Amino acid sequence: MKTIGLIGGMSWESTATYYRLLNQYTREALGGHHSAKILMSSVDFAEIEAQQRADAWDESAKQLAREARKLEAAGADFMLIGTNTMHKVASEVQDAISIPLLHIADATAQKLKEDGIKHVGLLGTRFTMSQPFYKERLTSHGIQVTVPEGWHQDIVHEVIYQELVQGEVNTHSRKQYLSVIDALKARGVEGIILGCTEIGLLIQQQHTPIPLYDTTELHAEAAVKLALSEFSKDAV
């Protein structure tokens, strides 16, 4: 079983979900008392959030690259960045290490292609929705991406930073998100990417008929598949 390196803490609410899912999917795959082999570095999100607001992405890249090198030195076989937004610096993190970085947008795109989804709505932080780094990664897989317009982006972003990263789940905010999803559906999308690792705390498939793609779940599932790709229960 390969050892997963996880850069977390952005926020720790979603990192806790990553830890649960990585172990859950490993147990489902192998049974018994199996759990995932994980090395994790959890950063202080206040520092990262301040860098985001200051547009100091170079500083964030250096910080996450340092954490990635620590995890590689400790024995990680491949790397996860446990957040969508900070994949803006994914290439810098990958360049800093010699082990693979499993990109969250690639894991998501793989599932979309398996399901035959060609046009998606993307929810996430303002950085993820408005900047090209994430959308271009998806379009490189042949997937059309539509993001919320105008003040709908503001709603999605503010709920993430003012509520979800604090662990607050608000019914009114869920209604607002569902209105945003309905507006995207009216623009022709076939599915919705929950492109921030905290959004799954607020919106689940039971809340809307349009297919939802939770990036945290898909990233964790892809990571476990990679970790077990050379593993055999017979060897235990």
Side-chain angles (χ1 to χ4, degrees), residues 68-96:
R69 285 192 292 266
K70 291 177 187 176
L71 292 171
E72 181 178 16
D77 293 302
F78 64 94
M79 197 70 56
L80 304 181
I81 301 174
T83 162
N84 286 272
T85 298
M86 295 314 298
H87 277 75
K88 180 176 172 67
V89 300
S91 61
E92 291 91 332
V93 174
Q94 179 64 89
D95 289 345

Side-chain angles (χ1 to χ4, degrees), residues 2 23 39 104 114 122 124 128 162 214:
K2 296 182 180 72
N23 284 292
L39 291 170
I104 195 168
E114 289 174 3
L122 173 62
T128 301
Q162 300 305 319
D214 186 323

Side-chain angles (χ1 to χ4, degrees), residues 44-189:
D44 182 357
F45 185 49
E47 297 174 1
I48 298 295
E49 190 272 337
Q51 291 164 358
Q52 291 174 343
R53 282 189 287 108
D55 202 30
W57 297 99
D58 288 346
E59 291 303 312
S60 294
K62 292 175 184 176
Q63 184 172 350
L64 296 195
R66 285 195 297 270
E67 303 309 315
R69 285 192 292 266
K70 291 177 187 176
L71 292 171
E72 181 178 16
D77 293 302
F78 64 94
M79 197 70 56
L80 304 181
I81 301 174
T83 162
N84 286 272
T85 298
M86 295 314 298
H87 277 75
K88 180 176 172 67
V89 300
S91 61
E92 291 91 332
V93 174
Q94 179 64 89
D95 289 345
I97 54 179
S98 60
I99 58 177
L101 172 70
L102 181 59
H103 199 291
I104 195 168
D106 291 343
T108 302
Q110 181 59 41
K111 178 60 174 174
L112 291 169
K113 288 189 286 188
E114 289 174 3
D115 289 354
I117 301 292
K118 298 180 179 179
H119 184 191
V120 293
L122 173 62
L123 304 182
T125 66
R126 185 177 294 111
F127 313 108
T128 301
M129 291 185 290
S130 65
Q131 297 182 21
F133 69 94
Y134 200 92
K135 292 179 285 188
E136 288 182 351
R137 191 82 177 202
L138 292 170
T139 56
S140 72
H141 289 274
I143 297 166
Q144 180 183 351
V145 182
T146 296
V147 297
E149 296 178 321
W151 62 274
H152 277 181
Q153 279 199 22
D154 296 336
I155 290 172
V156 174
H157 180 87
E158 291 304 320
V159 168
I160 291 168
Y161 278 86
Q162 300 305 319
E163 298 175 16
L164 297 180
V165 299
Q166 305 288 343
E168 180 181 340
V169 177
N170 187 299
T171 301
H172 176 67
S173 297
R174 178 178 293 126
K175 291 179 180 178
Q176 289 182 306
Y177 264 53
L178 292 174
S179 294
V180 174
I181 289 172
D182 286 342
L184 288 169
K185 185 178 179 181
R187 295 168 64 191
V189 305

